[in-house]
């Protein structure tokens, strides 16, 4: 049975990932910030172990790694993320939003990968998936959303570098774009349901192997330019 660890799994895309992997027979290690908001995960019963983890807390991430010990993690999904100052322009950009977004969307997933890379390396599947965004593509960047775009572009770079560093240990590290999805973050007008997005991402994850390490992959399997 595969062990899958998903951050930010209490709602949105993370919760759907947890449901899918549990249904496929995996054991899900699901992290939430607030246990009182984990009813969707509790419904998964013995298929899921729920951990409390604010991914920006070095102490929380360290405690999670200590608790897992030598447990192999076949698939690590860095999913937790925020979008602050939606539609922010150069004039309205708040430095505090930029800093907080970098802390959650860039620093935290890098820290999580650093803490758990050994667990992934000792698993069979050896796969790290970072839920980034097409908005982090430098090639495709248009105006606005400075904080979010910058945080995801920086995450993408970290994964590209890490992919190289972990290749020798057989670990595949990829960046994925879920599409524009109807979650709290994506809003009700988004193009895709959570189900449609995760349908595509599950196929991407299923197919991902070492030849894909360091790739930026759309939910439909196509490649996104960096
Ligand atoms: N929805 C879209 O259209 C879209 C498009 C491109 C990329 N993405 C990416 O997809 C991922 C999931 O987004 P979503 O749409 O599912 O968003 P969402 O519904 O807003 O859920 C965000 C998740 O991240 C968690 N989170 C936020 N800050 C955290 C922290 N400091 N520590 C731990 N968990 C934290 C939240 O936990 P709480 O419940 O505790 O707040 C929640 O579980 C994000 O990385 C996002 O950038 C989404």
């Amino acid at each position: 049975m595969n062990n899958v660890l998903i951050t930010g799994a209490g709602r949105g895309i993370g919760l759907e990932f947890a449901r899918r992997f549990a249904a496929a027979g995996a054991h899900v290690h699901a992290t939430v910030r607030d246990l009182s908001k984990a009813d969707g995960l509790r419904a998964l019963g013995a298929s899921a172990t729920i951990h409390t983890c604010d991914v920006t807390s070095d102490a929380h991430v360290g405690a999670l790694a200590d608790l897992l010990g030598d447990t192999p993690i076949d698939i690590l999904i860095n999913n937790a993320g925020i979008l602050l100052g939606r539609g922010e322009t150069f004039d309205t950009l708040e430095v505090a939003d930029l800093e907080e977004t970098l802390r959650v969307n860039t620093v935290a997933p890098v820290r999580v990968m650093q803490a758990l890379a050994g667990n992934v390396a000792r698993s069979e599947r050896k796969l790290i998936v970072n839920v980034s965004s097409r908005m982090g593509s430098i090639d495709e960047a248009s105006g606005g959303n400075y904080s979010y775009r910058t945080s995801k572009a920086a995450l993408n770079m970290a994964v590209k570098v890490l992919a190289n560093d972990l290749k020798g240990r057989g670990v595949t590290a990829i960046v994925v774009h879920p599409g524009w999805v109807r979650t709290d973050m994506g809003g009700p007008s988004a193009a895709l349901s959570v189900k449609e997005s995760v349908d595509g991402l599950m196929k991407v994850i299923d197919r991902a192997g070492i030849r894909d390490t360091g790739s930026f992959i759309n939910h439909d399997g196509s490649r996104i330019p960096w």
Side-chain angles (χ1 to χ4, degrees):
M1 182 198 286
N2 280 353
N3 286 323
V4 180
L5 190 142
I6 305 162
T7 65
R11 60 190 167 105
I13 293 167
L15 176 58
E16 184 66 11
F17 268 134
R19 288 182 174 135
R20 296 299 182 90
F21 279 109
H27 186 78
V28 178
H29 290 274
T31 83
V32 294
R33 279 193 289 191
D34 182 349
L35 282 176
S36 73
K37 295 181 185 162
D39 287 351
L41 291 169
R42 275 192 207 95
L44 302 179
S47 300
T49 304
I50 306 171
H51 304 273
T52 311
C53 183
D54 180 329
V55 291
T56 63
S57 162
D58 195 43
H60 285 196
V61 174
L64 177 63
D66 287 348
L67 190 82
L68 289 169
D70 288 338
T71 306
I73 299 295
D74 292 276
I75 306 175
L76 165 61
I77 303 184
N78 261 325
N79 165 77
I82 55 170
L83 170 56
L84 300 179
R86 185 184 299 277
E88 74 192 355
T89 66
F90 186 56
D91 291 331
T92 64
L93 169 63
E94 299 277 352
V95 168
D97 285 347
L98 175 58
E99 287 177 342
E100 179 63 5
T101 307
L102 288 168
R103 260 161 42 85
V104 178
N105 290 0
T106 313
V107 179
V110 171
R111 173 68 181 117
V112 169
M113 288 189 282
Q114 187 188 45
L116 301 181
N119 300 74
V120 176
R122 71 174 66 89
S123 75
E124 277 182 31
R125 191 66 178 85
K126 297 183 175 51
L127 178 62
I128 300 176
V129 179
N130 287 274
V131 184
S132 181
S133 171
R134 184 158 219 154
M135 287 176 80
S137 167
I138 290 175
D139 272 2
E140 294 187 357
S142 54
N145 291 296
Y146 283 78
S147 300
Y148 189 74
R149 288 183 190 281
T150 305
S151 71
K152 294 295 192 181
L155 171 64
N156 294 355
M157 173 59 89
V159 177
K160 188 83 182 163
V161 176
L162 180 97
N164 233 7
D165 283 341
L166 294 185
K167 200 170 184 178
R169 295 164 76 183
V171 173
T172 300
I174 59 172
V175 171
V176 298
H177 170 59
W180 184 26
V181 189
R182 293 191 289 278
T183 60
D184 293 336
M185 182 186 291
S189 308
L192 300 176
S193 67
V194 175
K195 180 183 179 305
E196 288 167 326
S197 169
V198 177
D199 277 348
L201 291 172
M202 292 298 284
K203 287 186 195 141
V204 168
I205 288 171
D206 199 42
R207 292 183 194 133
I210 199 74
R211 67 194 170 283
D212 302 303
T213 201
S215 297
F216 189 1
I217 309 176
N218 201 358
H219 62 93
D220 62 7
S222 61
R223 294 295 195 272
I224 297 176
W226 292 106

